[in-house]
Amino acid sequence: MEDCLIVPPSPGAGLSQPLNPQQQQWQVVQPKKNRRSRKPPTATIISPRAIRNTEASRSLEDITSEYHRMRQDLPTQQCCHSIRLLIRANAGTCSRVDKAICLGLGSFDPPDGAWEAKRRAYIQYLVFEAMVQELETVSNTTIHCTFQEPLFTDADTAFLTARGHAVVPAPLASTAVTPHTLLYGIHLYRPLYEEALQDYLPSVYVGTDWETWEQLMLPGDCLRGVREMHETYQKWEFPQEGIVFSGTWMYWRRSETGEDRSEVVVNTSDSNTGKD
């Protein structure tokens, strides 16, 4: 079976209103044979993620232990290593990052306990963590990380705060993007991307690329921020790990001035993913 990308359809309600079940449906977009193709994708409707209460069925210790096991997963290590090399090679010509926002990570304790859902959350988190650490290393600065995810349990929140991150309710993170933000959101609903990009375009964007959205034949004014980044930023297809990052690209704004550019610190060593 070919890989597929889960992306949302165009909801009719604004973010200030709860989506009804029909508006919450997801679309599975089949992979492109040619990235320049304008042929509309085939879509299948599947069930949306359910909003859950925050009572955890797994403990903080369980999540932390599994995090350390996932750090030893070879494909995940390779994905993290690839993104570190990409950042290291391009930081000197791209704009600086002083904070990071992660949207829609998913829970480390999904309602049905499904391993694949947990695995996706761990991989996405580990790669995000690797990106932040490498950006901190090359620029010799501290980057504060904020997470927004309605599916987080109390144990999820405890794990992330123990790692030194902030966890906030919507829309405190999705409306806090600045020109020097790393915005990391994998397979999000279209309105969430639009909300995050409504005021400023970030320094670095990791999410669904414009050519994937373009296949859905959206109205001309939709996702203008993603289209602008696609046309003006440097861009790379994100390192792949199964379908976890399918249709995901990294856009990084070129530095126009010395003030905007990262002050790169030369460091040829390759640090491990995550801190102990």
Side-chain angles (χ1 to χ4, degrees):
M1 178 178 177
E2 292 184 321
D3 290 350
C4 61
L5 166 63
I6 301 176
V7 298
S10 305
L15 287 181
S16 60
Q17 303 174 1
L19 300 178
N20 62 42
Q22 183 178 3
Q23 291 169 324
Q24 285 184 329
Q25 290 175 325
W26 291 75
Q27 291 181 327
V28 177
V29 179
Q30 301 302 328
K32 301 182 283 292
K33 299 298 183 182
N34 186 323
R35 290 192 59 81
R36 297 295 176 184
S37 172
R38 293 296 185 268
K39 183 179 179 181
T42 302
T44 304
I45 302 300
I46 62 176
S47 299
R49 296 189 301 180
I51 300 299
R52 60 178 293 174
N53 62 42
T54 59
E55 184 178 352
S57 60
R58 303 177 73 215
S59 68
L60 170 60
E61 291 73 19
D62 291 336
I63 292 174
T64 303
S65 177
E66 199 157 63
Y67 159 80
H68 285 292
R69 287 198 299 272
M70 283 299 300
R71 283 182 58 186
Q72 306 307 314
D73 178 65
L74 183 58
T76 303
Q77 289 181 339
Q78 292 172 337
C79 190
C80 291
H81 179 67
S82 296
I83 201 65
R84 286 179 181 275
L85 292 179
L86 190 156
I87 290 171
R88 199 174 303 166
N90 294 279
T93 60
C94 292
S95 58
R96 61 184 173 86
V97 171
D98 57 24
K99 73 174 181 178
I101 292 175
C102 178
L103 304 177
L105 179 68
S107 174
F108 303 111
D109 180 23
D112 59 0
W115 165 243
E116 191 57 36
K118 287 190 289 187
R119 180 176 176 274
R120 283 196 302 269
Y122 280 113
I123 293 172
Q124 289 181 19
Y125 173 70
L126 283 163
V127 174
F128 172 80
E129 189 176 59
M131 290 188 69
V132 170
Q133 290 176 348
E134 194 62 34
L135 287 165
E136 289 180 326
T137 298
V138 299
S139 61
N140 194 28
T141 189
T142 299
I143 296 174
H144 297 285
C145 302
T146 304
F147 289 76
Q148 177 184 304
E149 169 57 89
L151 296 181
F152 279 159
T153 65
D154 290 340
D156 291 326
T157 299
F159 168 74
L160 291 169
T161 54
R163 306 291 300 166
H165 309 314
V167 178
V168 300
L172 295 184
S174 53
T175 56
V177 173
T178 71
H180 295 293
T181 297
L182 159 61
L183 176 61
Y184 185 92
I186 312 301
H187 301 162
L188 302 181
Y189 283 114
R190 191 191 83 186
L192 190 50
Y193 283 125
E194 290 181 324
E195 181 175 75
L197 300 172
Q198 65 183 349
D199 293 326
Y200 299 100
L201 296 183
S203 176
V204 181
Y205 163 88
V206 178
T208 303
D209 72 307
W210 171 248
E211 289 189 357
T212 297
W213 285 111
E214 193 176 33
Q215 287 189 97
L216 298 179
M217 303 176 69
L218 301 173
D221 61 342
C222 289
L223 293 168
R224 287 175 295 178
V226 177
R227 180 169 58 183
E228 181 177 341
M229 290 187 292
H230 180 79
E231 293 172 349
T232 61
Y233 283 31
Q234 294 193 76
K235 51 186 177 289
W236 303 267
E237 187 171 14
F238 212 68
Q240 296 300 298
E241 213 296 340
I243 63 170
V244 175
F245 297 111
S246 60
T248 298
W249 280 60
M250 174 176 166
Y251 296 159
W252 198 349
R253 187 176 66 244
R254 296 179 178 88
S255 175
E256 300 296 337
T257 65
E259 182 179 348
D260 182 56
R261 185 175 302 129
S262 297
E263 295 184 5
V264 177
V265 176
V266 177
N267 185 348
T268 58
S269 64
D270 186 26
S271 54
N272 292 328
T273 302
K275 60 184 179 181
D276 293 332

